[in-house]
């Protein structure tokens, strides 16, 4: 039987709504990558002790979301196997070692050494109880095994702690290298054309997404905004007055991004007529800015 602490950790996983969590991560990475960190932090709170694998250098938001989705799927499969009474490894120490040796946990050990240390302490306690139950005949063997386990735990803890500090310094250094790169956008006409095509195919969500990209591209062309992967839509709208945008343009952009955020991030489907009105409003604003009207 698996140890009680390991079962308690696995029971905290959001496996019941795993598909919803995966969909939310992938949709956030695709549509609003600047909010992916908030979703990852939310997932960390739900896991309650199970570490997440860290991101890699040059990893895109879509790749990060896919990495977390695959990781969550693997861990939830582990939980399902325990609850269904799947065949287990011969002993708890071997079983725990097999779990920790899984690829999805390999990098997680680098990120959260406290969890590994706690599991090793649980293993040590289990070994002590096992050898004590066998009596004095195996006392010498038990003592050597326990001391070896403690020594390995101390060494592993030290190595992981050093690596964690080095990784943290690299992340902090990377975070001080200036502004985030600008968001790569096509011309307003290309985005609005794709929005019209999506309306014809009844894909309202894709239509308003392309409409918003067309709006951001228009503001970028007029040098009224600098879209990037960090700023939210509302933050971009709040910067318009400081870049010389007229009050009418600022008010219309705030209205459009406010409606978009409420509609796109809602679990309800986007009505086609409302999506069409949103695209039309973006087209009208683009036309007025192109003609130079205030």
């Amino acid at each position: 039987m698996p140890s009680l602490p390991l079962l308690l950790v696995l029971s905290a996983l959001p496996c019941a709504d795993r598909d919803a969590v995966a969909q939310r991560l992938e949709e956030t990475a695709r549509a609003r990558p600047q909010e992916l960190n908030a979703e990852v932090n939310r997932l960390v709170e739900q896991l309650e002790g199970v570490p997440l694998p860290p991101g890699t250098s040059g990893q895109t938001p879509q790749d990060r979301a896919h990495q977390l989705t695959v990781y969550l799927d693997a861990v939830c499969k582990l939980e399902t196997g325990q609850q269904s009474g799947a065949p287990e490894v011969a002993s708890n120490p071997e079983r725990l070692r097999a779990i920790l040796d899984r690829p999805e946990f390999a990098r997680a050990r680098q990120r959260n050494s406290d969890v590994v240390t706690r599991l090793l302490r649980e293993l040590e306690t289990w070994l002590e109880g096992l050898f004590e139950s066998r009596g004095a005949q195996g006392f010498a063997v038990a003592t050597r095994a326990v001391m070896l386990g403690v020594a390995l735990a101390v060494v592993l803890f030290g190595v992981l702690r050093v690596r964690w500090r080095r990784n943290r310094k690299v992340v902090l250094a990377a975070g001080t290298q200036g502004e985030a790169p600008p968001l790569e956008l096509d011309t307003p006409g290309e985005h609005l054309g794709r929005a019209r095509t999506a309306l014809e195919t009844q894909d309202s969500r894709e239509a308003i997404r392309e409409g918003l990209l067309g709006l951001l591209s228009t503001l970028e062309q007029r040098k009224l905004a600098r879209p990037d992967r960090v700023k939210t839509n509302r933050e971009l709208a709040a910067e318009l007055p400081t870049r010389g945008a007229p009050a009418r343009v600022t008010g219309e952009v705030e209205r459009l991004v406010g409606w978009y955020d409420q509609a796109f991030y809602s679990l309800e489907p986007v009505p086609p007529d409302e999506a069409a009105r949103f695209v039309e409003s973006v087209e009208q604003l683009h036309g007025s800015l192109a003609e130079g009207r205030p």
Side-chain angles (χ1 to χ4, degrees):
M1 293 295 292
S3 63
L4 182 57
L6 182 59
L7 282 177
L8 291 177
V9 170
L10 291 176
S11 64
L13 296 175
C15 294
D17 55 349
R18 177 181 57 193
D19 293 339
V21 172
Q23 181 180 1
R24 186 171 67 246
L25 286 172
E26 293 176 355
E27 187 175 67
T28 301
R30 179 174 62 88
R32 54 186 198 284
Q34 68 276 9
E35 300 180 12
L36 182 60
N37 286 338
E39 289 295 336
V40 174
N41 292 335
R42 179 181 173 186
L43 180 59
V44 170
E45 294 177 357
Q46 290 178 314
L47 291 178
E48 298 180 357
V50 178
L52 291 179
T56 59
S57 176
Q59 189 179 47
T60 64
Q62 290 83 357
D63 293 339
R64 177 61 170 160
H66 179 70
Q67 177 194 27
L68 295 178
T69 300
V70 172
Y71 172 78
L72 182 60
D73 183 71
V75 178
C76 287
K77 285 182 179 178
L78 174 62
E79 179 190 22
T80 303
Q82 291 177 341
Q83 295 177 350
S84 61
E88 301 183 354
V89 187
S91 65
N92 273 6
E94 295 178 2
R95 184 177 183 282
L96 182 56
R97 189 160 48 250
I99 293 173
L100 294 178
D101 286 341
R102 287 174 175 264
E104 58 266 23
F105 285 98
R107 292 185 65 105
R109 290 197 297 270
Q110 301 175 11
R111 184 179 180 185
N112 196 339
S113 60
D114 293 335
V115 175
V116 177
T117 304
R118 189 173 70 248
L119 292 176
L120 287 172
R121 288 173 181 168
E122 294 290 339
L123 175 60
E124 177 185 346
T125 302
W126 185 88
L127 285 171
E128 290 176 347
L130 176 64
F131 287 120
E132 288 175 0
S133 65
R134 293 184 177 179
Q137 183 179 1
F139 178 80
V141 177
T143 301
R144 288 194 297 269
V146 170
M147 295 305 298
L148 178 61
V150 172
L152 289 176
V154 172
V155 173
L156 180 61
F157 178 82
V159 171
L160 293 179
R161 180 65 69 179
V162 171
R163 297 192 65 176
W164 175 81
R165 289 180 178 176
R166 290 180 179 176
N167 292 337
R168 185 170 181 270
K169 290 180 180 178
V170 172
V171 171
L172 292 177
T176 60
Q177 295 179 356
E179 294 182 315
L183 185 66
E184 295 183 3
L185 298 169
D186 295 327
T187 64
E190 290 176 316
H191 285 298
L192 292 175
R194 289 196 287 266
R196 283 295 176 185
T197 301
L199 287 174
E200 293 174 358
T201 58
Q202 301 297 314
D203 191 351
S204 301
R205 189 172 294 273
E206 180 64 16
I208 65 174
R209 190 182 76 85
E210 289 292 343
L212 176 71
L213 294 177
L215 173 63
L216 297 179
S217 180
T218 297
L219 296 175
E220 185 179 43
Q221 282 190 351
R222 306 300 298 179
K223 300 186 184 305
L224 297 177
R226 185 183 181 275
D228 57 40
R229 297 185 179 276
V230 176
K231 296 177 183 176
T232 64
N233 297 331
R234 295 182 183 272
E235 289 174 342
L236 285 174
E239 290 182 356
L240 291 177
T242 64
R243 294 179 176 269
R248 183 190 67 82
V249 173
T250 300
E252 180 64 6
V253 172
E254 288 177 346
R255 182 186 71 83
L256 290 173
V257 299
W259 180 90
Y260 173 88
D261 288 345
Q262 182 178 4
F264 189 86
Y265 301 133
S266 172
L267 297 179
E268 299 294 331
V270 181
D273 56 339
E274 295 185 12
R277 284 197 295 270
F278 175 79
V279 174
E280 291 173 358
S281 298
V282 173
E283 290 174 338
Q284 292 174 2
L285 181 60
H286 169 70
S288 65
L289 290 176
E291 295 171 4
R293 296 200 304 269

